Amino acid sequence: MSEMPDIAPIRVLIGKPGLDGHDRGAKIVARALRDAGMEVIYTGLHQTPEMIVSAALQEDVQAIGLSILSGAHLTLFERTKSLMDERGCGDIILFGGGIIPGDDAEALVAMGVDAVFTPGTPTGKIVEYVKAAVEERAENGAS
Amino acid sequence: MKIDQLARAVLEGEPRALARAISVVESGAEGASHLIDLLYPHSGGATTIGVTGAPGAGKSTLVDRLIEGLRAEEKSVAAVAIDPSSPFTGGALLGDRVRMMRHHADDGVFIRSMANRGRFGGLAPTTRSVVHLLDAAGFDVVIVETVGVGQAEVSVAGSTMSTVLVLVPGQGDAIQALKAGVMEVADIFVVNKADREGADRMVSAIESVLQLADPLPDRTPPVLRTCATRGDGIAPLLEALDGHRAWLRKAKRLQDFRIAAAEEELRDALGHHLTDRAIAALDEKEAWIERLASREVALPRLIRVAVRAIRDAPRP
């Protein structure tokens, strides 16, 4: 085993905001990202957007993924996005998944969520998305 | 990136700058050495505490309670929590923070997860540097939570002023407690989950072994009971930490610790730095490794070749 990878691993935060207690999806995605060589910070259940954004700031992640199955996705994503802008980290990629109707997915993208994945998405697709999005942002990014 | 500006923002206590600075140091990116050069002289003021123990012993929950107790004393606290990287993919699931989420709205608390990136010993390759950064940023206390350790991973003891070893009931008898390694480096023993059966036996097994040892001058490591999920036993633990710090401050012990820690840090970093350089400088590396595997060349000779390669390599 070589000690240090040639490039720094991508850091992603996977969070479960809100009240639903179903974290199987979040864990599957966290595991898939881990297996793709990323460092995944998992925050556990029942988090508020405040907790998630504050953790993302301290952990200096390149992407935040939220899993929401409670139906409160519009409110929770909106709150998360506005906190990110308020606290100067609107440049972090924000994606998510859960039981999200098509119209709502469009609304989320319109409010600035970078990608929405619905049930049945192969994990490989999410991994590829995160890699590509992080790479793209690094190329265009200020840092 | 403007490293000087980043260093200034870290010293001013800007949390986002601190988070970014840690990433720069952790990745070894361009600017990492310059950043450490700028910030290291400002470190040394913080109290450092190491929390170590087996996976699932309750280290993260205990750290969460320590943060709570230290905040009640109005001390600012930073915590670094380390989890293992995959030996196969390099990826990691960092889950220690789950137990510490409630401090999110408190500006006096900064928590950072680190993956060990394949390093043995319980710490990540850059944990010591990250502790210096947090120290320079002005935190009163910096807590390091190691990877879940076995018997012999003791790096934390040489890096933090006080080492707390977290054990749980049923984790072995007096023979286990007598063994060398991690049992020897604890300044304070904590038997966590002390509401479970077997806590008394665990405490007396450790105490009986401590009585066999030559006592340190006026100090025997205390054996405490906690139940971190309920917050029981935290006040005595904070008192024991204060007591250990007071003991360190006597008779130049703290100065001795700092010198030993500096030497250990140098040996560790230099060892890895030289290894990386030697491997990079070695001509036909794969061929040499194949010859080593096929017994055509033995290790001592290959080491001489590698060392010569560093010497002859053009200066970077």
Side-chain angles (χ1 to χ4, degrees):
Chain A
M1 175 173 68
S2 66
E3 180 149 284
M4 287 280 282
D6 293 337
I7 44 160
I10 293 172
R11 287 172 71 86
V12 190
L13 182 142
I14 297 295
K16 273 229 42 111
L19 296 175
D20 78 88
H22 306 282
D23 61 351
R24 191 172 153 76
K27 284 176 176 161
I28 289 172
V29 171
R31 170 76 200 256
L33 296 173
R34 187 201 86 176
D35 288 346
M38 301 182 201
E39 293 181 354
V40 183
I41 293 103
Y42 183 59
T43 64
L45 287 167
H46 308 313
Q47 305 297 308
T48 62
E50 284 79 2
M51 287 168 154
I52 287 167
V53 173
S54 159
L57 270 173
Q58 295 185 353
E59 298 289 356
D60 193 33
V61 295
Q62 288 120 305
I64 300 174
L66 301 183
S67 162
I68 304 171
L69 297 133
S70 64
H73 40 266
L74 289 174
T75 326
L76 290 168
F77 270 107
E78 187 171 26
R79 180 80 188 125
T80 305
K81 186 70 193 161
S82 69
L83 278 169
M84 286 166 67
D85 292 337
E86 221 170 88
R87 303 193 57 182
C89 62
D91 56 325
I92 298 175
I93 294 152
L94 177 62
F95 69 99
I99 304 178
I100 297 169
D103 288 354
D104 286 359
E106 279 171 30
L108 290 173
V109 171
M111 78 171 66
V113 175
D114 293 287
V116 176
F117 300 98
T118 46
T121 308
T123 53
K125 198 176 155 194
I126 301 174
V127 168
E128 284 319 308
Y129 166 76
V130 173
K131 279 186 182 165
V134 167
E135 204 171 302
E136 189 192 316
R137 205 145 300 189
E139 277 165 16
N140 307 334
S143 70
Chain B
M1 194 195 305
K2 320 108 211 146
I3 292 293
D4 298 78
Q5 214 177 320
L6 186 62
R8 218 170 308 127
V10 169
L11 292 173
E12 281 163 12
E14 219 312 302
R16 182 119 212 242
L18 178 58
R20 181 56 51 86
I22 293 173
S23 301
V24 170
V25 166
E26 203 180 15
S27 67
E30 201 186 334
S33 342
H34 185 42
L35 188 60
I36 295 170
D37 278 341
L38 291 172
L39 291 174
Y40 184 65
H42 296 273
S43 68
T47 294
T48 52
I49 299 169
V51 177
T52 191
K59 295 182 294 297
S60 303
T61 309
L62 198 70
V63 170
D64 172 66
R65 291 294 182 184
L66 286 174
I67 294 172
E68 180 184 49
L70 290 161
R71 291 301 292 144
E73 298 173 12
E74 294 184 353
K75 288 176 177 141
S76 57
V77 190
V80 187
I82 305 151
D83 267 328
S85 300
S86 161
F88 304 109
T89 66
L93 193 96
L94 310 176
D96 292 325
R97 202 185 175 97
V98 172
R99 321 281 173 207
M100 310 177 197
M101 290 298 283
R102 63 195 171 118
H103 304 289
H104 73 96
D106 184 347
D107 291 338
V109 177
F110 187 99
I111 297 161
R112 180 68 172 232
S113 315
M114 289 183 90
N116 81 339
R117 301 200 178 170
R119 178 68 59 92
F120 296 114
L123 303 179
T126 52
T127 298
R128 289 180 176 90
S129 299
V130 169
V131 170
H132 298 323
L133 249 58
L134 295 165
D135 186 343
F139 287 95
D140 298 319
V141 182
V142 181
I143 303 176
V144 177
E145 178 191 335
T146 70
V147 168
V149 303
Q151 291 180 306
E153 296 96 327
V154 297
S155 297
V156 72
S159 332
T160 52
M161 288 157 61
S162 307
T163 302
V164 178
L165 175 62
V166 186
L167 300 159
V168 290
Q171 216 179 335
D173 57 8
I175 302 301
Q176 295 301 333
L178 193 53
K179 287 185 180 171
V182 77
M183 293 297 290
E184 292 175 287
V185 301
D187 298 306
I188 297 167
F189 291 87
V190 164
V191 176
N192 191 36
K193 309 190 187 184
D195 53 333
R196 291 195 184 174
E197 207 216 307
D200 293 342
R201 247 172 302 148
M202 192 73 199
V203 170
S204 56
I206 302 162
E207 281 175 342
S208 71
V209 169
L210 290 173
Q211 282 158 14
L212 300 175
D214 287 336
L216 289 162
D218 52 85
R219 185 169 196 282
T220 305
V223 185
L224 306 174
R225 287 158 219 252
T226 59
C227 179
T229 49
R230 294 203 306 236
D232 295 346
I234 302 304
L237 174 56
L238 287 165
E239 261 170 52
L241 284 162
D242 283 343
H244 180 249
R245 202 159 50 252
W247 179 82
L248 270 180
R249 292 228 155 90
K250 272 185 251 160
K252 284 181 65 193
R253 288 186 193 111
L254 188 56
Q255 180 60 14
D256 292 347
F257 163 80
R258 285 190 196 282
I259 288 176
E263 179 171 351
E264 194 175 319
E265 184 170 0
L266 173 66
R267 282 177 179 277
D268 181 65
L270 197 57
H272 287 92
H273 177 78
L274 290 176
T275 303
D276 291 347
R277 277 191 55 192
I279 296 284
L282 196 59
D283 262 343
E284 292 166 10
K285 180 183 66 178
E286 285 80 13
W288 277 110
I289 292 171
E290 267 170 41
R291 292 169 70 190
L292 180 65
S294 64
R295 273 66 182 167
E296 215 179 301
V297 56
L299 198 52
R301 170 144 176 252
L302 186 47
I303 288 175
R304 283 198 299 277
V305 171
V307 170
R308 212 174 304 131
I310 298 185
R311 207 183 47 204
D312 297 343
R315 294 186 67 83

